[in-house]
Amino acid sequence: NVNRDRGNVARALEHFQIAANLSGDIELAAWSELRLITAIGETSGIRVAMARLDEVRRILTKCGDPRPFAALHLWLVEAESTIGKIEHAWRNLRTADTLLSQIDDVWLQGYLAVNRSALHYYSAEITAARRHAEAAIAHAQESGHRTTRCAAHVNLGNIEFSQGQFVQAEQYFQAALECAESGSLSEVIILENIAQVKLHLDDLSGCKAVLSRLEVLSDRNQNEKRKHYNRW
């Protein structure tokens, strides 16, 4: 997990594969498989990761805990929205919501709120997108989960940017940057957003400085998602 957060996805993938193969604890095996499919998606693309879904579902069914099942459906929300399958993403979000109604898990509730915010944003439902992003931040304050806080601030930054509120957008992106691990894909995404804001504010020297920083990051830890952002 540390390697993944720091952008060393290939190294993370190696450890997740070992964990998934060696674990005698079915719950740990379930979470290892979830982390593994996420890392595969980042290194090789969503469609390659999807090929492992049957194996992941088999292990999660054997585990029987609703928490990893909810996490799988939330990952599917991200994966399917990335490739444009918004209706499929909504369906998985509703399934995750139903599973989480059975348990009290503030981290997963934050994860759910972030994904719900993103889907409302993709559906041009800005008020709802903002409300759920703010709910995600509240959950993150309770759970202490920095990645949730980071993602929620990115969502809020995108909302403000879409409304033409560039100064407020940059403030949210800067808040997200403070939560992002140095060298991570999250840092790349946030810096790219900040560069766009500075361009719209006619701060060309500031934009150039951010792009220079991005060029250094782009040379590190190449994988499928980074290739996408490099092209963008």
Side-chain angles (χ1 to χ4, degrees):
N1 282 324
V2 171
N3 274 297
R4 184 182 169 221
D5 282 348
R6 291 179 176 173
N8 303 318
V9 183
R11 185 70 173 150
L13 185 62
E14 180 182 328
H15 284 293
F16 290 144
Q17 286 174 324
I18 294 170
N21 291 333
L22 294 183
S23 178
D25 181 330
I26 190 62
E27 182 181 357
L28 183 58
W31 287 109
S32 298
E33 285 289 342
L34 283 172
R35 298 292 188 268
L36 180 57
I37 197 173
T38 301
I40 290 172
E42 291 178 3
T43 54
S44 303
I46 297 301
R47 288 178 174 83
V48 175
M50 291 282 197
R52 197 177 175 87
L53 269 180
D54 286 345
E55 175 65 12
V56 174
R57 287 194 174 106
R58 184 187 68 78
I59 292 172
L60 265 59
T61 300
K62 189 175 179 181
C63 175
D65 186 339
R67 292 175 65 253
F69 259 117
L72 173 63
H73 284 285
L74 290 173
W75 176 77
L76 285 168
V77 171
E78 296 180 18
E80 290 174 335
S81 61
T82 297
I83 58 177
K85 295 184 175 181
I86 302 300
E87 287 304 317
H88 288 79
W90 275 113
R91 193 177 307 130
N92 277 292
L93 188 88
R94 288 190 288 270
T95 301
D97 195 8
T98 299
L99 288 166
L100 290 177
S101 68
Q102 307 169 28
I103 54 177
D104 182 18
D105 189 309
V106 69
W107 164 61
L108 283 172
Q109 288 294 342
Y111 190 9
L112 175 70
V114 164
N115 279 279
R116 196 188 296 277
S117 171
L119 283 185
H120 279 297
Y121 176 75
Y122 295 149
S123 304
E125 296 163 358
I126 299 302
T127 301
R130 188 190 304 277
R131 182 174 70 252
H132 289 292
E134 290 169 349
I137 290 172
H139 286 305
Q141 287 173 341
E142 185 178 351
S143 70
H145 195 241
R146 192 170 65 169
T147 303
T148 298
R149 187 182 298 113
C150 179
H153 277 102
V154 169
N155 285 3
L156 287 168
N158 285 328
I159 289 167
E160 295 295 345
F161 187 86
S162 72
Q163 302 293 292
Q165 303 297 325
F166 301 128
V167 173
Q168 293 91 326
E170 184 171 5
Q171 290 171 349
Y172 280 122
F173 290 138
Q174 290 290 352
L177 193 61
E178 292 175 7
C179 302
E181 189 73 32
S182 178
S184 66
L185 180 64
S186 294
E187 186 182 26
V188 171
I189 294 168
I190 296 162
L191 286 172
E192 189 273 327
N193 283 324
I194 292 171
Q196 282 201 65
V197 170
K198 290 187 179 298
L199 186 63
H200 279 75
L201 290 171
D202 291 329
D203 180 5
L204 300 186
S205 60
C207 181
K208 184 177 180 180
V210 176
L211 290 174
S212 296
R213 185 173 169 185
L214 273 168
E215 285 178 354
V216 174
L217 289 172
S218 297
D219 293 334
R220 297 165 53 186
N221 307 317
Q222 292 295 318
N223 57 56
E224 192 67 23
K225 275 195 172 183
R226 282 178 185 261
K227 288 177 185 175
H228 165 79
Y229 280 99
N230 289 349
R231 290 191 291 269
W232 181 255

